[in-house]
Amino acid sequence: MELLSKVALPQYPFHITHKDKILLTGSCFATNIGERLTQAKFNVITNPFGVVYNPLSIKNGLDRLLSGQLYTPKELFFSNGYYRSFDHHSSFSSPDETECLNRINNALQSGIKQLKECTLLILTFGTSFVYSLKGEKQIVSNCHKLNEDLFDRRRVTPEEIVSSWLPLLYTIKKENPNIHILFTVSPIRHWRDGAHENQLSKSGLLLTIDQLQKELDNIFYFPAYEIMMDELRDYRFYADDLFHPSPLAIDYIWEEFKSSFMDSSTKKIITEWQTIYRALEHKPFNPKSETYRNFLSQTLLKLEAYRKKFPYFEIDKEINFIQSRISESLNP
């Protein structure tokens, strides 16, 4: 007896391994999957502009990565004690102008390099609604809680999104011929738009991606939105705000993602690493005990064996962490 509507996953013509480089950008669902990939030790850059929800702002961010143009002080504004950028999430903001620019440009440079070299670009659209500064054409990624009277708000059409994205996608594929481009639609409901408007917004995004797939080869879609809406429709799969997926739901979609894009050997590597990762997360009852030092020594041996087995893994940070814990444990 079937107790849920199972979403059929597409058959994708490629797999990802730990030798691949991956860039994710878009809504906070991109962050959720990016965190899972990072925890599984993939080479990942996630949201170099912070969380971005609408497709035109995501497109503008990718344009900036392709141009390689760093940000200047003229592109910042000062509000409520912080320097900010309309292209960036508030996590980049700072009361110090230089620090704000450094955060922005460091993330930008990492994103520029990753876009040139990545084999998988994951793009997550969140909403069809965009905000722009009144009297200007500049679409903002984040309003930074400024007075809403400063902005115009509208829902962009699939035709408008497609026409702006096609030249960008051609350029990306020209610059990086080996890239696979994977679109998703965020399952997070934008309830402030209203129930009906949210559905129209999501429908526009789905129609957009469908049209892009028809126009270009090597453009793919992962049905995270459909999995959430159909397989996980019960409210127990939502966070306390009843709009965001719960950790359980994200884990479920992550498992579906792994089934779609990873072969058995890659999943085995992830399982092996999770054992080490749990050891790294372990909090001892007595950090000065001999038992804990033995535990740390065994974990260090596992890390060194892992690095020898997979020399392309970046685990220097973890090794240094364990070595520092051992030193702390030996100090009186």
Side-chain angles (χ1 to χ4, degrees), residues 159-170:
E159 293 77 15
E160 183 178 353
I161 304 170
V162 169
S163 65
S164 68
W165 268 83
L166 277 177
L168 169 65
L169 293 175
Y170 278 119

Side-chain angles (χ1 to χ4, degrees), residues 41-77:
K41 295 307 290 181
F42 283 86
N43 186 328
V44 178
I45 296 291
T46 303
N47 277 337
F49 295 84
V51 175
V52 182
Y53 296 100
N54 76 78
L56 298 190
S57 288
I58 297 170
K59 181 256 181 192
N60 289 341
L62 290 170
D63 281 335
R64 191 74 181 227
L65 294 180
L66 287 170
S67 75
Q69 181 183 354
L70 297 181
Y71 281 81
T72 67
K74 292 182 179 179
E75 295 174 277
L76 305 181
F77 69 96

Side-chain angles (χ1 to χ4, degrees), residues 23-32 45-55 57-59 61-62 89 121-127 141 165 184-186 188 190:
L23 175 63
L24 301 95
T25 184
S27 84
C28 46
F29 183 72
T31 300
N32 295 147
I45 296 291
T46 303
N47 277 337
F49 295 84
V51 175
V52 182
Y53 296 100
N54 76 78
S57 288
I58 297 170
K59 181 256 181 192
L62 290 170
H89 187 263
L121 172 63
I122 302 177
L123 304 160
T124 303
F125 291 168
T127 177
S141 300
W165 268 83
T184 66
V185 170
S186 170
I188 298 166
H190 290 247

Side-chain angles (χ1 to χ4, degrees), residues 128-246:
S128 298
F129 285 96
V130 302
Y131 288 82
S132 57
L133 290 169
K134 279 194 173 178
E136 301 181 28
K137 293 182 179 180
Q138 180 186 357
I139 291 173
V140 302
S141 300
N142 195 308
C143 296
H144 295 286
K145 298 182 180 180
L146 297 177
N147 193 310
E148 61 182 19
D149 293 339
L150 297 173
F151 304 96
D152 290 317
R153 175 180 176 272
R154 65 187 178 91
R155 177 161 52 86
V156 290
T157 65
E159 293 77 15
E160 183 178 353
I161 304 170
V162 169
S163 65
S164 68
W165 268 83
L166 277 177
L168 169 65
L169 293 175
Y170 278 119
T171 302
I172 290 174
K173 291 164 73 68
K174 181 180 178 181
E175 294 288 327
N176 184 351
N178 298 319
I179 198 170
H180 297 95
I181 299 174
L182 178 68
F183 283 93
T184 66
V185 170
S186 170
I188 298 166
R189 295 178 295 165
H190 290 247
W191 211 245
R192 288 181 60 187
D193 296 331
H196 181 59
E197 289 292 324
N198 174 70
Q199 289 299 94
L200 291 174
S201 170
K202 298 291 188 184
S203 298
L205 300 177
L206 294 167
L207 289 170
T208 294
I209 296 168
D210 181 66
Q211 187 60 38
L212 290 173
Q213 287 185 282
K214 291 176 181 177
E215 297 280 352
L216 288 169
D217 295 330
N218 217 25
I219 303 293
F220 305 96
Y221 176 71
F222 177 71
Y225 177 76
E226 291 79 2
I227 292 170
M228 191 72 201
M229 293 299 105
D230 289 296
E231 291 189 38
L232 308 179
R233 65 178 68 178
D234 192 287
Y235 272 105
R236 65 196 168 107
F237 295 112
Y238 286 85
D240 290 344
D241 64 5
L242 303 182
F243 303 125
H244 286 74
S246 68

